[in-house]
Amino acid sequence: MKLPKRYKPAEAEPRWQKIWEEAGLYRFDRFPDRPIYSIDTPPPTVSGAIHIGHVFSYVQAEVVARFWRMRGYNVYYPFGFDDNGLPSERLVEKEKGVTAAEVGRETFVRMCLELTQQYEREFKVFWRSLGFSVDWDENYSTIDSFSQRISQRSFLDLHAKDRIYRKEAPTLWCPECHTAIAQAEIEDAEHSSVFYDVAFQLDGRDLIISTTRPELLPACVGMFAHPGDERYRDIIGKKATVPLFGYEVPILLDEKADPEKGTGLVMCCTFGDTTDIAWWQEHGLDTRIVFDESGKMNELASGYEGLGLRQARARMVEDLKAQGLCKSEEPITHDVNVHERCGTEIEFSVARQWFVRVLDLKDEIIAAGEKVDWCPEYMGVRFRNWVENLKWDWCISRQRYYGVPFPLWVCKDCGEVVFAREEDLPVDPAVAAPPVAACVSCGSKELEPERDIMDTWMTSSCTPFLNVKWREHDSRIERFKKEGEGATEFLMDLRPQAHDIIRTWAYYTVVKSVLNEGKIPWRTAMISGHVLHPDRAKLSKSKGGSAKSPAAVVEERSADATRYWACSSRLGTDTMYADEPFEDAKRLITKLWNASKFAIMRLEDFDPDAPRELALIDRWLLGRLYLANEHATKDFVKCEYHAAVQAVEPFFWHCLCDNYIEIAKKRLYGDEGYDDASRRGAQYTLYLALLGVLKMLAPVIPHVTEEIYHLYFAEREGVESIHVSAWPDPPPEWADPEILEAGDLALAAIEGMRKVKSTHKASVATPVGALRIACDDETWTKLDPLLPELKDVSNAQTVERAAEAGPEFVETDSPLIHVAAELLEQEED
């Protein structure tokens, strides 16, 4: 049999990708009679080019999909694109250099659609280049009509269940993105700032407050002191004059004022933080919003109109100093809330927004989260902590342009809301007529479309609904749902995602599934970590990815090596981008290819039905195969891809290549002294061991394993691809403890022999006069059946037992065995 000398991934990988796709190998329902394993694939946000961090997490999930397919499941593995909302808008603004205000809403939305579709085509090409086993016919976009219908249906259902409300209230606001945002969209960032001691006036007396936000002075609506702070008892109930702006505000008591912080006096503004909001609500204070939607100061900040917040701060500090009202300043570094999308400091504004009522359901949401099998387990604690610390209902409206519309109209005269009919979904109220001609409350015909759009998470949180075709005529919900402990129903089997969006995608999906359907969205949540820059910052599209594009990495390193790199760290852990795993992958692939070529040459005449005799070392290797498979299977079930690889590689390198092949070589070659039954026993063992290794590594390195499988195994196994072949399932009786112990002792002796030769700088082939093993009677009895193998692999004339270990003996991996060897001169050829 003539075999290729080298494996060439640049040629093999695209060839196999084409073959798989043309055969529809990964198509859902290709094996309709099998049980379904469904994956709620994360739709990547279309907000810029893919970075290497995406490869890291998406490969990890894809590896698990391949495992379950080989386990005999009908794997539902779709792929979508999260291409609506603010991230896609910002991409268009960045690449096209325009805003919606400049080109108009209709033109801007068209530009968003065109650009996101262009990126999606590029994304598909790249994911295919990694050999993804996705069913590309099960494809969706969160802006397409199907997704809009499901998202709007979810909204109407929540409204019918009294979970939706509209209210004018303080709202988290991003002045850069010009929109309200939800609590889950903010993150902490360390910023340098200054504490300013600023003097308010009361009857000629300076009342000093400390603030990092002097630009909010025109938004001040009160001052607070702690009820137990004796310093200010005499001024409570009076009014102080706000510096620079000259109006008066009341001085009040509240226990939330900290007497140990600053001077103990605090100004309350609308709004600087959540404490300001609480004081404003509890004490019925005035409302003074001093900036517009773009963060520019308005007419309430007289003299500073039109300035940005930072400009206004600098100007006000100058003016305070000029009037002697800035008493001191101290540079500080502190954490501030920023918008995760753009890094801009968050403000609070008052506007009419749509909300989902969730704060009263914290306990139910936590209970639902506890029914999910979180991998790793500690990620469930992060989910619980997030829910426990929620302070806001879910704000779902955005003052943007490109997204899923709210299916409703509002009466201009009385404010009554008219909702679309479910049978009319999806609806864009900006172009569609309302379902009634006039307001049912006041009779007015002035029904105006809601111009806000839904938060992108309102649709992203519906991905399980998209996958099961929720309440559609061809719904899959009955096919997909699973029963868990306590008869809990799960919509899908697996949600893979990164840990940073537990607070958004995972949380919102649990909320939607519980509120809309009364079920848990998935049985298992597989939570990945991040790839870090050398400065330990997370790679992201919005903040810049790695210097080298993922496509360039795949082209340089190969798809399989890139996949191996992605699986080189434990699930859930952040890891630095490094070259070592790629080099490890290259060594593994080369060794796998060379070992397979050797094995295939020795297996050319293998007849699995012919009589065979298994030697003890054969049975030892099969026992080790069973144990490696047992560990790998359990690890893959728990989504621990790295641990699974760690279970397989030592078996391949140490047990199979370094030792068994060397020990069984003479039998495999059919050397004198070994009969046909013994040779066939070695062939049988080698066949099962190598095929087992190929199958267990196939999820991680699918191309080279498929190439080797088709060099020899495909015809004999009668299965078209290793990736739809059965996962190894060796019988437990293979793992005979006594045989495993005897084989391990023999390997310890062999390693000792190699150590002796290495110490004397002799080659492994150097002949040995007597291989002497110091051990007790029981150990020697266990080694006795393996003495012929020890003699052959050591190239020894005899193998002898020594009564005790003298100074010439070396230690081995087993404390029961010490080895010495009489090295002979190697004969010249």
Side-chain angles (χ1 to χ4, degrees), residues 731-750:
E733 54 265 28
W734 279 5
D736 184 309
E738 293 183 1
I739 291 174
L740 288 170
E741 183 184 10
D744 290 344
L745 289 170
L747 258 64
I750 292 169

Side-chain angles (χ1 to χ4, degrees), residues 515-624:
L515 294 183
N516 282 132
E517 196 59 25
K519 297 180 176 67
I520 309 305
W522 355 263
R523 181 191 301 273
T524 302
M526 174 186 177
I527 310 299
S528 64
H530 292 144
V531 181
L532 303 178
H533 276 301
D535 63 1
R536 303 201 70 79
K538 162 195 160 188
L539 292 174
S540 70
K541 284 183 291 207
S542 61
K543 299 170 185 177
S546 60
K548 186 177 291 185
S549 74
V553 172
V554 172
E555 183 177 3
E556 176 187 348
R557 300 286 196 169
S558 84
D560 278 353
T562 304
R563 294 169 62 94
Y564 183 93
W565 160 81
C567 296
S568 63
S569 62
R570 289 184 296 109
L571 178 66
T573 59
D574 295 341
T575 186
M576 302 290 290
Y577 181 80
D579 291 332
E580 288 84 355
F582 289 100
E583 296 303 319
D584 291 341
K586 183 178 179 180
R587 283 190 291 272
L588 173 62
I589 292 168
T590 301
K591 185 69 173 180
L592 190 62
W593 182 258
N594 291 336
S596 297
K597 283 202 306 175
F598 170 84
I600 290 170
M601 293 298 292
R602 306 283 75 79
L603 293 171
E604 191 170 0
D605 62 344
F606 172 54
D607 180 358
D609 298 321
R612 58 179 173 265
E613 180 182 333
L614 294 184
L616 191 148
I617 198 65
D618 300 331
R619 296 165 66 191
W620 168 82
L621 185 70
L622 294 177
R624 284 289 159 203

Side-chain angles (χ1 to χ4, degrees), residues 199-214:
F200 284 61
Q201 297 294 310
L202 173 62
D203 300 331
R205 173 182 174 183
D206 285 346
L207 299 178
I208 309 298
I209 61 97
S210 297
T211 181
T212 59
R213 301 291 307 275

